[in-house]
Amino acid sequence: DGDTVASGDYRGVLRLTRRVSGSCLPVVVGRGGPINSAVWNTDGSVVYTAGYDGHIRAWSATGQPLDGWRAHHSPIKSLAWSTAHGGLVVAGSADGTLSAWRVEPGTEGDGGGGHQHTEVWRAERPDQVLVNSVAVADGAGLVVSASRDLHLRRWEATTGELVERLPRVHRKSVKAVAVSPDGNRMVSGAYDGLAVAWERRAAPGPD
């Protein structure tokens, strides 16, 4: 509903802050280490966090733990939410891979036991270049990743198949990426201090 902001810090603490009232509920994640990323599902009933221990954790909107699982054996750098397969959490990791997990939220009343997760795909990369950021264009059915090798890549959200590797325009590791819902516009930011706007244009038709 847009009323709650989720944030995670280097101490591994998740905070849920009410936008209107400003009230904040601190939630101690435990021994998972620093939180690198947090993302809500579509209806705002579950927030997912991930960080240095390679785990994804699911929390209710009031901060109750619902689920947790190891998704990678290296730190997870970024999470994104996709509506593909009825709801996917997409993770990008320092091990150079992306993974996508179908999730079915449980409820606070069942102690989190109703929350289910299943791996749908894993995009393995032989070069194992660190993935810094992932974003989703639901309208185009795409996942976009930004990596230390200076490239942006576009992947099929349903299968994890590589669609396109974009040319390098940054001089240092690409740290962040955002994409429009239709997949036609992107913005990337890198350690070179540049923010680059991308626009995908339709190929010209025949004369």
PDB file of all heavy atoms in Angstrom, residues 163-192:
ATOM      1  N   VAL A 163      19.089 -13.020 -22.907  1.00  0.00           N
ATOM      2  CA  VAL A 163      18.500 -12.401 -24.092  1.00  0.00           C
ATOM      3  C   VAL A 163      19.504 -11.512 -24.805  1.00  0.00           C
ATOM      4  O   VAL A 163      19.624 -11.532 -26.030  1.00  0.00           O
ATOM      5  CB  VAL A 163      17.260 -11.563 -23.702  1.00  0.00           C
ATOM      6  CG1 VAL A 163      16.698 -10.811 -24.914  1.00  0.00           C
ATOM      7  CG2 VAL A 163      16.188 -12.450 -23.077  1.00  0.00           C
ATOM      8  N   GLU A 164      20.261 -10.747 -24.032  1.00  0.00           N
ATOM      9  CA  GLU A 164      21.146  -9.754 -24.642  1.00  0.00           C
ATOM     10  C   GLU A 164      22.201  -9.302 -23.643  1.00  0.00           C
ATOM     11  O   GLU A 164      21.936  -9.172 -22.450  1.00  0.00           O
ATOM     12  CB  GLU A 164      20.314  -8.536 -25.083  1.00  0.00           C
ATOM     13  CG  GLU A 164      21.084  -7.445 -25.777  1.00  0.00           C
ATOM     14  CD  GLU A 164      20.205  -6.273 -26.151  1.00  0.00           C
ATOM     15  OE1 GLU A 164      19.103  -6.146 -25.573  1.00  0.00           O
ATOM     16  OE2 GLU A 164      20.620  -5.478 -27.018  1.00  0.00           O
ATOM     17  N   ARG A 165      23.407  -9.098 -24.133  1.00  0.00           N
ATOM     18  CA  ARG A 165      24.457  -8.447 -23.363  1.00  0.00           C
ATOM     19  C   ARG A 165      24.710  -7.097 -24.007  1.00  0.00           C
ATOM     20  O   ARG A 165      25.113  -7.014 -25.168  1.00  0.00           O
ATOM     21  CB  ARG A 165      25.735  -9.281 -23.349  1.00  0.00           C
ATOM     22  CG  ARG A 165      26.807  -8.702 -22.428  1.00  0.00           C
ATOM     23  CD  ARG A 165      28.092  -9.500 -22.483  1.00  0.00           C
ATOM     24  NE  ARG A 165      28.812  -9.275 -23.733  1.00  0.00           N
ATOM     25  CZ  ARG A 165      30.033  -9.726 -23.989  1.00  0.00           C
ATOM     26  NH1 ARG A 165      30.659 -10.466 -23.086  1.00  0.00           N
ATOM     27  NH2 ARG A 165      30.622  -9.489 -25.151  1.00  0.00           N
ATOM     28  N   LEU A 166      24.496  -6.026 -23.262  1.00  0.00           N
ATOM     29  CA  LEU A 166      24.640  -4.684 -23.808  1.00  0.00           C
ATOM     30  C   LEU A 166      26.112  -4.284 -23.852  1.00  0.00           C
ATOM     31  O   LEU A 166      26.915  -4.762 -23.053  1.00  0.00           O
ATOM     32  CB  LEU A 166      23.846  -3.680 -22.984  1.00  0.00           C
ATOM     33  CG  LEU A 166      22.351  -3.589 -23.313  1.00  0.00           C
ATOM     34  CD1 LEU A 166      21.612  -4.848 -22.882  1.00  0.00           C
ATOM     35  CD2 LEU A 166      21.706  -2.377 -22.670  1.00  0.00           C
ATOM     36  N   PRO A 167      26.463  -3.391 -24.773  1.00  0.00           N
ATOM     37  CA  PRO A 167      27.866  -2.966 -24.891  1.00  0.00           C
ATOM     38  C   PRO A 167      28.320  -2.178 -23.670  1.00  0.00           C
ATOM     39  O   PRO A 167      27.521  -1.557 -22.970  1.00  0.00           O
ATOM     40  CB  PRO A 167      27.853  -2.080 -26.144  1.00  0.00           C
ATOM     41  CG  PRO A 167      26.443  -1.623 -26.283  1.00  0.00           C
ATOM     42  CD  PRO A 167      25.598  -2.752 -25.785  1.00  0.00           C
ATOM     43  N   ARG A 168      29.614  -2.206 -23.433  1.00  0.00           N
ATOM     44  CA  ARG A 168      30.180  -1.468 -22.308  1.00  0.00           C
ATOM     45  C   ARG A 168      30.187   0.023 -22.596  1.00  0.00           C
ATOM     46  O   ARG A 168      30.637   0.467 -23.653  1.00  0.00           O
ATOM     47  CB  ARG A 168      31.610  -1.927 -22.051  1.00  0.00           C
ATOM     48  CG  ARG A 168      31.730  -3.365 -21.564  1.00  0.00           C
ATOM     49  CD  ARG A 168      33.184  -3.777 -21.477  1.00  0.00           C
ATOM     50  NE  ARG A 168      33.335  -5.108 -20.904  1.00  0.00           N
ATOM     51  CZ  ARG A 168      34.484  -5.762 -20.834  1.00  0.00           C
ATOM     52  NH1 ARG A 168      35.585  -5.190 -21.310  1.00  0.00           N
ATOM     53  NH2 ARG A 168      34.545  -6.958 -20.296  1.00  0.00           N
ATOM     54  N   VAL A 169      29.697   0.788 -21.631  1.00  0.00           N
ATOM     55  CA  VAL A 169      29.799   2.246 -21.733  1.00  0.00           C
ATOM     56  C   VAL A 169      30.455   2.830 -20.486  1.00  0.00           C
ATOM     57  O   VAL A 169      30.929   3.969 -20.509  1.00  0.00           O
ATOM     58  CB  VAL A 169      28.418   2.909 -21.946  1.00  0.00           C
ATOM     59  CG1 VAL A 169      27.809   2.460 -23.261  1.00  0.00           C
ATOM     60  CG2 VAL A 169      27.477   2.602 -20.793  1.00  0.00           C
ATOM     61  N   HIS A 170      30.488   2.058 -19.414  1.00  0.00           N
ATOM     62  CA  HIS A 170      31.139   2.513 -18.186  1.00  0.00           C
ATOM     63  C   HIS A 170      32.610   2.101 -18.177  1.00  0.00           C
ATOM     64  O   HIS A 170      33.010   1.129 -18.828  1.00  0.00           O
ATOM     65  CB  HIS A 170      30.434   1.927 -16.965  1.00  0.00           C
ATOM     66  CG  HIS A 170      29.074   2.502 -16.727  1.00  0.00           C
ATOM     67  ND1 HIS A 170      28.873   3.744 -16.170  1.00  0.00           N
ATOM     68  CD2 HIS A 170      27.835   1.989 -16.976  1.00  0.00           C
ATOM     69  CE1 HIS A 170      27.583   3.984 -16.081  1.00  0.00           C
ATOM     70  NE2 HIS A 170      26.924   2.934 -16.557  1.00  0.00           N
ATOM     71  N   ARG A 171      33.408   2.823 -17.401  1.00  0.00           N
ATOM     72  CA  ARG A 171      34.835   2.534 -17.294  1.00  0.00           C
ATOM     73  C   ARG A 171      35.176   1.748 -16.034  1.00  0.00           C
ATOM     74  O   ARG A 171      36.293   1.245 -15.907  1.00  0.00           O
ATOM     75  CB  ARG A 171      35.630   3.845 -17.322  1.00  0.00           C
ATOM     76  CG  ARG A 171      35.495   4.626 -18.631  1.00  0.00           C
ATOM     77  CD  ARG A 171      36.457   5.804 -18.651  1.00  0.00           C
ATOM     78  NE  ARG A 171      36.154   6.773 -17.611  1.00  0.00           N
ATOM     79  CZ  ARG A 171      35.287   7.770 -17.739  1.00  0.00           C
ATOM     80  NH1 ARG A 171      34.623   7.918 -18.879  1.00  0.00           N
ATOM     81  NH2 ARG A 171      35.084   8.616 -16.749  1.00  0.00           N
ATOM     82  N   LYS A 172      34.207   1.665 -15.103  1.00  0.00           N
ATOM     83  CA  LYS A 172      34.402   0.893 -13.884  1.00  0.00           C
ATOM     84  C   LYS A 172      33.147   0.079 -13.597  1.00  0.00           C
ATOM     85  O   LYS A 172      32.121   0.246 -14.254  1.00  0.00           O
ATOM     86  CB  LYS A 172      34.745   1.818 -12.707  1.00  0.00           C
ATOM     87  CG  LYS A 172      36.097   2.502 -12.840  1.00  0.00           C
ATOM     88  CD  LYS A 172      36.434   3.309 -11.586  1.00  0.00           C
ATOM     89  CE  LYS A 172      37.805   3.962 -11.699  1.00  0.00           C
ATOM     90  NZ  LYS A 172      38.140   4.748 -10.489  1.00  0.00           N
ATOM     91  N   SER A 173      33.247  -0.786 -12.601  1.00  0.00           N
ATOM     92  CA  SER A 173      32.172  -1.720 -12.262  1.00  0.00           C
ATOM     93  C   SER A 173      30.811  -1.035 -12.198  1.00  0.00           C
ATOM     94  O   SER A 173      30.660   0.022 -11.578  1.00  0.00           O
ATOM     95  CB  SER A 173      32.494  -2.365 -10.909  1.00  0.00           C
ATOM     96  OG  SER A 173      31.470  -3.229 -10.494  1.00  0.00           O
ATOM     97  N   VAL A 174      29.810  -1.647 -12.839  1.00  0.00           N
ATOM     98  CA  VAL A 174      28.452  -1.106 -12.825  1.00  0.00           C
ATOM     99  C   VAL A 174      27.798  -1.513 -11.501  1.00  0.00           C
ATOM    100  O   VAL A 174      27.622  -2.689 -11.216  1.00  0.00           O
ATOM    101  CB  VAL A 174      27.624  -1.612 -14.014  1.00  0.00           C
ATOM    102  CG1 VAL A 174      26.267  -0.915 -14.025  1.00  0.00           C
ATOM    103  CG2 VAL A 174      28.356  -1.354 -15.325  1.00  0.00           C
ATOM    104  N   LYS A 175      27.416  -0.523 -10.711  1.00  0.00           N
ATOM    105  CA  LYS A 175      26.959  -0.752  -9.344  1.00  0.00           C
ATOM    106  C   LYS A 175      25.449  -0.913  -9.238  1.00  0.00           C
ATOM    107  O   LYS A 175      24.949  -1.641  -8.378  1.00  0.00           O
ATOM    108  CB  LYS A 175      27.417   0.415  -8.460  1.00  0.00           C
ATOM    109  CG  LYS A 175      27.016   0.319  -7.010  1.00  0.00           C
ATOM    110  CD  LYS A 175      27.675  -0.856  -6.314  1.00  0.00           C
ATOM    111  CE  LYS A 175      27.361  -0.861  -4.818  1.00  0.00           C
ATOM    112  NZ  LYS A 175      27.893  -2.065  -4.144  1.00  0.00           N
ATOM    113  N   ALA A 176      24.683  -0.216 -10.095  1.00  0.00           N
ATOM    114  CA  ALA A 176      23.234  -0.209  -9.950  1.00  0.00           C
ATOM    115  C   ALA A 176      22.553  -0.101 -11.306  1.00  0.00           C
ATOM    116  O   ALA A 176      23.105   0.471 -12.251  1.00  0.00           O
ATOM    117  CB  ALA A 176      22.795   0.948  -9.048  1.00  0.00           C
ATOM    118  N   VAL A 177      21.334  -0.649 -11.381  1.00  0.00           N
ATOM    119  CA  VAL A 177      20.537  -0.528 -12.596  1.00  0.00           C
ATOM    120  C   VAL A 177      19.068  -0.425 -12.214  1.00  0.00           C
ATOM    121  O   VAL A 177      18.620  -1.040 -11.242  1.00  0.00           O
ATOM    122  CB  VAL A 177      20.771  -1.727 -13.549  1.00  0.00           C
ATOM    123  CG1 VAL A 177      20.307  -3.038 -12.926  1.00  0.00           C
ATOM    124  CG2 VAL A 177      20.088  -1.501 -14.890  1.00  0.00           C
ATOM    125  N   ALA A 178      18.328   0.387 -12.968  1.00  0.00           N
ATOM    126  CA  ALA A 178      16.876   0.486 -12.844  1.00  0.00           C
ATOM    127  C   ALA A 178      16.294   0.388 -14.242  1.00  0.00           C
ATOM    128  O   ALA A 178      16.925   0.815 -15.220  1.00  0.00           O
ATOM    129  CB  ALA A 178      16.472   1.800 -12.179  1.00  0.00           C
ATOM    130  N   VAL A 179      15.096  -0.186 -14.350  1.00  0.00           N
ATOM    131  CA  VAL A 179      14.493  -0.405 -15.666  1.00  0.00           C
ATOM    132  C   VAL A 179      13.015  -0.054 -15.604  1.00  0.00           C
ATOM    133  O   VAL A 179      12.356  -0.258 -14.577  1.00  0.00           O
ATOM    134  CB  VAL A 179      14.697  -1.870 -16.121  1.00  0.00           C
ATOM    135  CG1 VAL A 179      14.062  -2.847 -15.155  1.00  0.00           C
ATOM    136  CG2 VAL A 179      14.193  -2.096 -17.541  1.00  0.00           C
ATOM    137  N   SER A 180      12.500   0.510 -16.690  1.00  0.00           N
ATOM    138  CA  SER A 180      11.080   0.840 -16.761  1.00  0.00           C
ATOM    139  C   SER A 180      10.258  -0.440 -16.891  1.00  0.00           C
ATOM    140  O   SER A 180      10.765  -1.479 -17.329  1.00  0.00           O
ATOM    141  CB  SER A 180      10.813   1.761 -17.952  1.00  0.00           C
ATOM    142  OG  SER A 180      11.121   1.116 -19.179  1.00  0.00           O
ATOM    143  N   PRO A 181       8.967  -0.402 -16.521  1.00  0.00           N
ATOM    144  CA  PRO A 181       8.142  -1.613 -16.581  1.00  0.00           C
ATOM    145  C   PRO A 181       8.077  -2.262 -17.955  1.00  0.00           C
ATOM    146  O   PRO A 181       7.979  -3.493 -18.066  1.00  0.00           O
ATOM    147  CB  PRO A 181       6.761  -1.117 -16.144  1.00  0.00           C
ATOM    148  CG  PRO A 181       7.051   0.043 -15.244  1.00  0.00           C
ATOM    149  CD  PRO A 181       8.242   0.712 -15.861  1.00  0.00           C
ATOM    150  N   ASP A 182       8.156  -1.454 -19.036  1.00  0.00           N
ATOM    151  CA  ASP A 182       8.085  -2.023 -20.384  1.00  0.00           C
ATOM    152  C   ASP A 182       9.444  -2.482 -20.907  1.00  0.00           C
ATOM    153  O   ASP A 182       9.545  -3.017 -22.009  1.00  0.00           O
ATOM    154  CB  ASP A 182       7.447  -1.040 -21.370  1.00  0.00           C
ATOM    155  CG  ASP A 182       8.244   0.255 -21.547  1.00  0.00           C
ATOM    156  OD1 ASP A 182       9.371   0.369 -21.000  1.00  0.00           O
ATOM    157  OD2 ASP A 182       7.738   1.168 -22.220  1.00  0.00           O
ATOM    158  N   GLY A 183      10.502  -2.261 -20.127  1.00  0.00           N
ATOM    159  CA  GLY A 183      11.828  -2.709 -20.513  1.00  0.00           C
ATOM    160  C   GLY A 183      12.532  -1.845 -21.529  1.00  0.00           C
ATOM    161  O   GLY A 183      13.662  -2.154 -21.928  1.00  0.00           O
ATOM    162  N   ASN A 184      11.938  -0.761 -21.938  1.00  0.00           N
ATOM    163  CA  ASN A 184      12.513   0.057 -23.001  1.00  0.00           C
ATOM    164  C   ASN A 184      13.480   1.128 -22.501  1.00  0.00           C
ATOM    165  O   ASN A 184      14.249   1.680 -23.279  1.00  0.00           O
ATOM    166  CB  ASN A 184      11.403   0.731 -23.809  1.00  0.00           C
ATOM    167  CG  ASN A 184      10.636  -0.254 -24.663  1.00  0.00           C
ATOM    168  OD1 ASN A 184      11.194  -1.263 -25.110  1.00  0.00           O
ATOM    169  ND2 ASN A 184       9.357   0.007 -24.886  1.00  0.00           N
ATOM    170  N   ARG A 185      13.439   1.426 -21.219  1.00  0.00           N
ATOM    171  CA  ARG A 185      14.331   2.453 -20.670  1.00  0.00           C
ATOM    172  C   ARG A 185      15.046   1.909 -19.442  1.00  0.00           C
ATOM    173  O   ARG A 185      14.437   1.254 -18.597  1.00  0.00           O
ATOM    174  CB  ARG A 185      13.556   3.720 -20.309  1.00  0.00           C
ATOM    175  CG  ARG A 185      12.989   4.438 -21.525  1.00  0.00           C
ATOM    176  CD  ARG A 185      12.168   5.653 -21.113  1.00  0.00           C
ATOM    177  NE  ARG A 185      11.689   6.381 -22.269  1.00  0.00           N
ATOM    178  CZ  ARG A 185      10.589   6.074 -22.937  1.00  0.00           C
ATOM    179  NH1 ARG A 185       9.850   5.032 -22.562  1.00  0.00           N
ATOM    180  NH2 ARG A 185      10.220   6.777 -23.994  1.00  0.00           N
ATOM    181  N   MET A 186      16.325   2.222 -19.352  1.00  0.00           N
ATOM    182  CA  MET A 186      17.125   1.810 -18.206  1.00  0.00           C
ATOM    183  C   MET A 186      18.052   2.943 -17.806  1.00  0.00           C
ATOM    184  O   MET A 186      18.401   3.794 -18.620  1.00  0.00           O
ATOM    185  CB  MET A 186      17.968   0.568 -18.551  1.00  0.00           C
ATOM    186  CG  MET A 186      17.169  -0.670 -18.877  1.00  0.00           C
ATOM    187  SD  MET A 186      18.226  -2.125 -19.129  1.00  0.00           S
ATOM    188  CE  MET A 186      19.116  -1.625 -20.604  1.00  0.00           C
ATOM    189  N   VAL A 187      18.454   2.912 -16.539  1.00  0.00           N
ATOM    190  CA  VAL A 187      19.477   3.821 -16.039  1.00  0.00           C
ATOM    191  C   VAL A 187      20.489   2.983 -15.272  1.00  0.00           C
ATOM    192  O   VAL A 187      20.114   2.152 -14.430  1.00  0.00           O
ATOM    193  CB  VAL A 187      18.900   4.909 -15.119  1.00  0.00           C
ATOM    194  CG1 VAL A 187      20.023   5.776 -14.547  1.00  0.00           C
ATOM    195  CG2 VAL A 187      17.889   5.771 -15.866  1.00  0.00           C
ATOM    196  N   SER A 188      21.760   3.165 -15.578  1.00  0.00           N
ATOM    197  CA  SER A 188      22.821   2.437 -14.885  1.00  0.00           C
ATOM    198  C   SER A 188      23.762   3.429 -14.222  1.00  0.00           C
ATOM    199  O   SER A 188      24.017   4.516 -14.736  1.00  0.00           O
ATOM    200  CB  SER A 188      23.599   1.540 -15.849  1.00  0.00           C
ATOM    201  OG  SER A 188      24.153   2.293 -16.923  1.00  0.00           O
ATOM    202  N   GLY A 189      24.271   3.034 -13.058  1.00  0.00           N
ATOM    203  CA  GLY A 189      25.242   3.849 -12.338  1.00  0.00           C
ATOM    204  C   GLY A 189      26.453   3.006 -11.986  1.00  0.00           C
ATOM    205  O   GLY A 189      26.321   1.820 -11.672  1.00  0.00           O
ATOM    206  N   ALA A 190      27.642   3.616 -12.042  1.00  0.00           N
ATOM    207  CA  ALA A 190      28.872   2.844 -11.876  1.00  0.00           C
ATOM    208  C   ALA A 190      29.862   3.569 -10.981  1.00  0.00           C
ATOM    209  O   ALA A 190      29.678   4.737 -10.612  1.00  0.00           O
ATOM    210  CB  ALA A 190      29.514   2.557 -13.237  1.00  0.00           C
ATOM    211  N   TYR A 191      30.934   2.837 -10.651  1.00  0.00           N
ATOM    212  CA  TYR A 191      31.986   3.407  -9.828  1.00  0.00           C
ATOM    213  C   TYR A 191      32.777   4.497 -10.554  1.00  0.00           C
ATOM    214  O   TYR A 191      33.602   5.172  -9.931  1.00  0.00           O
ATOM    215  CB  TYR A 191      32.938   2.311  -9.354  1.00  0.00           C
ATOM    216  CG  TYR A 191      32.421   1.520  -8.179  1.00  0.00           C
ATOM    217  CD1 TYR A 191      32.050   0.186  -8.318  1.00  0.00           C
ATOM    218  CD2 TYR A 191      32.317   2.104  -6.921  1.00  0.00           C
ATOM    219  CE1 TYR A 191      31.582  -0.550  -7.233  1.00  0.00           C
ATOM    220  CE2 TYR A 191      31.851   1.388  -5.831  1.00  0.00           C
ATOM    221  CZ  TYR A 191      31.493   0.063  -5.992  1.00  0.00           C
ATOM    222  OH  TYR A 191      31.027  -0.659  -4.911  1.00  0.00           O
ATOM    223  N   ASP A 192      32.534   4.674 -11.837  1.00  0.00           N
ATOM    224  CA  ASP A 192      33.185   5.775 -12.555  1.00  0.00           C
ATOM    225  C   ASP A 192      32.473   7.107 -12.331  1.00  0.00           C
ATOM    226  O   ASP A 192      32.872   8.132 -12.872  1.00  0.00           O
ATOM    227  CB  ASP A 192      33.294   5.465 -14.051  1.00  0.00           C
ATOM    228  CG  ASP A 192      31.936   5.203 -14.704  1.00  0.00           C
ATOM    229  OD1 ASP A 192      30.892   5.465 -14.072  1.00  0.00           O
ATOM    230  OD2 ASP A 192      31.927   4.712 -15.855  1.00  0.00           O
TER     231      ASP A 192
END
